Amino acid sequence: MKKFLFTLAVALLFSATAFCQTKVIAHRGYWDTTGSYENTISSIQNAGNLGIFGSELDVYITTDDVLVVHHDAAVQGHKIDESSYEKDLKDIILPNGEKLPTLESYLREGKKFPHLKVVVELKNHTRWVDQDRCVLAVVDLVRKLHMQNQVDYISFNMNMCKGLIQLEPSADVYYLNGETSPADLKTLGFAGLDYEQGVMAKHPEWIKEAHDLGLKVNVWTVNESEKIQWFIEQGVDFITTNNPVEAKKLVEKKR
Ligand code: MG
């Protein structure tokens, strides 16, 4: 019996450690490697092959209802939320020679790596009607691909976050903008906070507050080894980084 209790205690300790383990998310995919570029199909393949927890991407909707993966509001002179995919964007080639991806092609690639969490950032759109159109289209697409369990959502835009929470209550939605306390995020139905590293350095108490409320903490964009190490020691749940190789190494060292 004693031996059984000891084994149980060890098992619980290990599961608690695993539960607290910081996880690595590649910011705009794992793109800082030969031949790749941010927010491309190769960047999500690289993240999947690296064996990290997740891969983040940015999305806009076009005037003809196509969801396009790109960070900046404009691509090669075309403002995405004022452009037609068919007329203006579909032939665009990115600096590494890959096509500008649609969200559908990107998610289909992510689906080939079922262990990889795909973190979809819904970008701010100038018009409210486009913000709502973007939220609806992203949720519809994720449902169509049966990827609800593989996708988390993030946004700086509170209107879009509220839309996501209302439309897909079981989804994990994280807020990016940094001004809202964990208690308020909990009330609004968020899964957690995903704040810039400077905000979290100013409010280290938010990590415990969030955890006590059952929320998770993500921090971006942490690239230097010492800072990655510091946030691992603070017990954040996720680190979003342009340097997933180093972050993975540091997380594994702590194990
Ligand atoms: Mg982003």
Side-chain angles (χ1 to χ4, degrees), residues 27-28 39 56-59 70-71 119-123 154 156 176 194 220-221 240:
H27 181 234
R28 306 180 197 170
N39 281 321
E56 186 257 7
L57 66 99
D58 305 287
V59 70
H70 195 66
H71 177 265
V119 181
V120 176
E121 179 180 349
L122 284 78
K123 301 301 284 186
I154 60 176
F156 283 94
L176 291 169
D194 186 353
W220 52 271
T221 307
T240 301

Side-chain angles (χ1 to χ4, degrees), residues 5 19 21 34 53 61 71 91 93 111 123 161 185 200 211 213 232 234 239 243:
L5 287 175
F19 186 71
Q21 187 77 52
T34 313
F53 173 78
I61 195 162
H71 177 265
D91 297 323
I93 302 295
K111 206 175 174 180
K123 301 301 284 186
C161 287
L185 292 177
M200 292 315 295
H211 286 163
L213 290 161
I232 291 171
Q234 301 309 303
I239 290 177
N243 195 353

